[in-house]
Amino acid sequence: MGTDSKTPASSAIAYLVIRDGKKWSDVFRLMPGRTVTIGRSPTNQIVIKEEQASRKHAEIFLSDGTWTVRDLKSRNGTAVGDERVTGDRALQPGDVIWIANTQMAFVHDLSTAYDRKIFSRVEIGNETITGLEVVDDDQATLSSLPLEPQTITHRRQKTKFLQDDEIDEEDEVDPIPKVGRAAAKLCRLAFELANETTPRGIARMALDSMIDGTHVDAGAVLMVPRAKPKTTDPKKLEIIAWRSENRPEYQRVSKFLAETVLRDGEAVLARDIQDDSALGLRDSKGEIHATSVICAPIRMANRTIGLIHMYSTRPEGLLDPDDLEFTLAVAETVGLALRTRYREQKLVADLTKTRSEIDLLRAQLGAENELVGSSPAMLTVHQQIAKAAPSNATVLIRGESGVGKELVARAVHYASPRAKNAFVCLNCAALSESLLESELFGHEKGAFTGATDRKVGKFEAAHKGTLMLDEIGEMSQSIQAKFLRVLEGHLFERVGGNKPIKVDVRVIAATNRDLEKDVRNGTFRKDLFFRLHVVQILVPPLRHRPEDVIELAEYFLQKFNAETKRRILGFTPAARQQLLRYRWPGNVRELRNVIERAVVLAQGDEIDHDELLLTNLATASESQMDVAYAQSQYRPETLDEVEMRHIEATLIATAWNKSKTSQILGIERSTLDRKIKKYQIRKAY
């Protein structure tokens, strides 16, 4: 194939004027020495976007001075006029080549190809509106007909570059030009945006990708101010990223384009517009004419939050609908990236606010909440606290020394309607009778030796709040009588004073003594006992809730790690086993002190059993308090139920290490597996 050197030059000049449906859509110049392929594949020089067309449908070439069309064994064939092409078919001026519904007029003179001309058109979605009137055939001339139709394209639908439908290579329908390059750029951009943490960084990265992927000279990403989310004024939009290749600065988007994109949510492509003042395609001096401009919305949660604006000033850099598709795809990706970043920022802000609120509550408590434990016994305590807190009833908290009675009292107070007022605590066992009376009721100046000033008592200090009296069983009978009168609602006077004082105080009493025995012995007033014994909360000793031992030990380990700046990772298996076997006569207070000492003196990354300083003291298991607790907590159980609970507690304590659990229980590993299956014990995640 080739051009005959004797062929007249005029015969080598030829055009294919392509008509798609009811309109002429393109003009293609045939070049001697170059074979033109036609088909559905985007690799063809002329792409037919119809399903009936084959991927490689036909070709046109110059042979012996004659332009020839050849069908490439297509599925539906090629026709010239009414004649089906078989083999090679020479073309004559005026011949119309038919492939599916697409017509291609072969001409040497463009003025003979048109029966109408379209000076401009507007495409909105799939609807086409012609802009100027139709003229007669003999009025159409080459000088009056633009080779590239002037267009403004509006796109409302989701871009084809972001569609999820997978298209088979052999059955591809409506292929997108440059789709391979565009898809690769979008994929890279998505991965890069995932690692960007700021809106400005996201905008700069997206803008660089678009300018490198299109023919634009300048562009910018503009955002709608959060204070004015409905504004369409381009002067009020915030430019968070811009870039200009050939000009010293970027020219801001026009009011027309900004309103169209922000108000209607439409992407706009405008090109080769003669009067571009409305589109803002000239600079401030009116010297530079932009050949084309693209403006696409940035959406987030069905709301337009900004826009991407790009333009080209070079004729050879004319933007096309594929550039619009690519820009719209980038805009959608930017919107998704911004949405993710804003969500992350909100989560961080919420987390910071929550932590601040927790710190504030802990500061109000005056101590960190160490009411730790998830055993059934501690869940019962939490339930009792929840029931007792809303009322003003007097609460009697009973339990051995060191179980955390004061923490339970604080929990009752801060869960009650009095939480915003004072929580006052007084240990009755730490003061003599005279000092205790002064601490409770206050004293006037000169009431006794050393009373140099008037002192407000704990009752007055706790007005509208809660007064906790720890170790109330140590209170003398004379103080008990005065205390009972105040509990009954009577007025009281300060020591050495005569002015009656009335207060609104909720009293929470705590004791480790057997008050019933003290009442029988006459050391504790019966009427006061009944006045205190309105709501009773029994706090179990640590040996009655072994499930909480490891949890408490881990809690104290983290606490003292933070205080001492050490990084001890945990406990060795031997240390865990020793913690579980020990009876803890000093309860939680003893466990706290043992862990604190171990953290200070530990040599390695883990606390070992020889670093736990334990005592040989006997527990209070034979005391009346222990009996009272056992009676209050008793419920009928079978041996299987007891065994199941014990196995489950041991598994939890060893973090479900079956080898350690079987060693502690003194059974074989296979026996342990059989019992886990028998009792249907499940690991909680």
Side-chain angles (χ1 to χ4, degrees), residues 23 99 163-164 238 246 382 385 457 521 546 560 571-572 633:
K23 60 182 183 294
I99 295 179
Q163 289 178 352
D164 297 328
E238 180 185 1
N246 302 319
H382 284 291
I385 291 173
N521 294 337
F560 294 122
F571 301 90
T572 64
Q633 297 295 313

Side-chain angles (χ1 to χ4, degrees), residues 199-377:
R200 292 186 183 275
I202 290 172
R204 284 194 296 268
M205 192 174 293
L207 193 61
D208 291 342
S209 177
M210 286 184 295
I211 290 181
D212 295 339
T214 59
H215 302 293
V216 299
D217 300 321
V221 178
L222 301 92
M223 301 300 293
V224 177
R226 290 192 176 185
K228 298 181 178 180
K230 295 184 179 181
T231 185
T232 59
D233 186 351
K235 295 181 180 180
K236 295 180 180 179
L237 300 180
E238 180 185 1
I239 301 176
I240 62 173
W242 69 274
R243 178 175 162 185
S244 180
E245 296 294 285
N246 302 319
R247 299 281 296 159
E249 60 181 354
Y250 156 76
Q251 299 299 319
R252 187 180 282 267
V253 65
S254 70
K255 183 177 181 181
F256 169 78
L257 287 177
E259 289 180 349
T260 301
V261 174
L262 296 177
R263 183 186 59 222
D264 302 330
E266 295 181 350
V268 177
L269 164 64
R271 54 182 181 176
D272 201 23
I273 305 299
Q274 299 300 322
D275 182 11
D276 56 6
S277 58
L279 299 180
L281 301 180
R282 295 183 185 274
D283 65 4
S284 57
K285 298 181 180 179
E287 297 174 352
I288 301 299
H289 175 259
T291 58
S292 51
V293 62
I294 283 177
C295 201
I298 299 174
R299 302 183 183 94
M300 185 173 69
N302 298 322
R303 182 171 59 90
T304 302
I305 62 170
L307 57 86
I308 296 175
H309 176 228
M310 302 195 303
Y311 56 84
S312 175
T313 60
R314 297 172 289 110
E316 66 274 14
L318 195 66
L319 298 170
D320 57 31
D322 287 339
D323 294 321
L324 175 65
E325 294 286 347
F326 180 69
T327 305
L328 188 56
V330 172
E332 296 285 355
T333 306
V334 169
L336 183 60
L338 290 174
R339 181 183 181 185
T340 302
R341 295 300 166 266
Y342 291 150
R343 281 182 172 179
E344 289 179 354
Q345 292 174 3
K346 186 177 185 300
L347 287 174
V348 171
D350 291 346
L351 181 59
T352 302
K353 181 180 178 181
T354 302
R355 286 175 175 171
S356 299
E357 291 175 350
I358 292 173
D359 292 340
L360 179 61
L361 289 173
R362 285 178 172 174
Q364 292 174 348
L365 283 169
E368 292 187 7
N369 182 10
E370 295 180 356
L371 199 60
V372 178
S374 55
S375 63

Side-chain angles (χ1 to χ4, degrees), residues 141-154:
T141 62
L142 183 60
S143 60
S144 64
L145 184 66
L147 295 181
E148 180 78 24
Q150 305 168 18
T151 62
I152 297 177
T153 305
H154 293 250

Side-chain angles (χ1 to χ4, degrees), residues 10-26:
S10 61
S11 64
I13 299 175
Y15 302 90
L16 287 178
V17 182
I18 303 171
R19 185 183 180 97
D20 183 6
K22 297 181 179 180
K23 60 182 183 294
W24 299 106
S25 62
D26 204 354

Side-chain angles (χ1 to χ4, degrees), residues 448-483:
F448 52 84
T449 303
T452 57
D453 294 296
R454 189 177 70 174
K455 178 183 175 67
V456 173
K458 300 301 184 184
F459 268 107
E460 288 183 79
H463 182 57
K464 299 291 184 181
T466 303
L467 173 63
M468 180 201 175
L469 297 177
D470 197 7
E471 304 300 344
I472 197 167
E474 306 297 332
M475 185 181 290
S476 66
Q477 288 204 355
S478 61
I479 302 298
Q480 290 177 28
K482 296 180 181 180
F483 178 55

Side-chain angles (χ1 to χ4, degrees), residues 504-634:
D504 177 15
V505 174
R506 180 184 193 177
V507 173
I508 298 178
T511 184
N512 63 353
R513 295 176 62 94
D514 185 351
L515 292 183
E516 290 86 349
K517 181 179 179 181
D518 290 342
V519 170
R520 290 193 296 269
N521 294 337
T523 58
F524 197 84
R525 293 177 63 97
K526 182 184 296 186
D527 48 1
L528 178 58
F529 172 78
F530 290 124
R531 186 64 184 83
L532 294 175
H533 199 267
V534 178
V535 176
Q536 177 174 278
I537 298 178
L538 288 174
V539 184
L542 190 55
R543 62 184 174 278
H544 286 172
R545 47 189 180 108
E547 306 94 327
D548 295 335
V549 171
I550 299 300
E551 185 178 352
L552 282 163
E554 295 284 357
Y555 171 79
F556 289 132
L557 175 62
Q558 297 302 321
K559 174 182 173 64
F560 294 122
N561 265 341
E563 290 183 3
T564 60
K565 309 300 181 183
R566 299 203 62 181
R567 300 182 64 181
I568 298 176
L569 303 179
F571 301 90
T572 64
R576 285 176 174 268
Q577 184 175 353
Q578 188 161 333
L579 289 172
L580 289 171
R581 287 191 301 192
Y582 187 60
R583 296 288 290 169
W584 299 108
N587 293 297
V588 180
R589 182 185 292 120
E590 182 185 8
L591 175 60
R592 173 193 172 102
N593 296 335
V594 167
I595 301 302
E596 183 177 12
R597 177 188 180 279
V599 169
V600 173
L601 301 180
Q603 300 296 319
D605 293 336
E606 291 184 319
I607 295 175
D608 204 354
H609 70 285
D610 57 354
E611 294 171 322
L612 299 174
L613 183 60
L614 305 178
T615 69
N616 294 321
L617 294 176
T619 67
S621 58
E622 301 301 324
S623 67
Q624 290 296 323
M625 180 65 66
D626 213 45
V627 173
Y629 173 77
Q631 291 174 346
S632 67
Q633 297 295 313
Y634 172 75

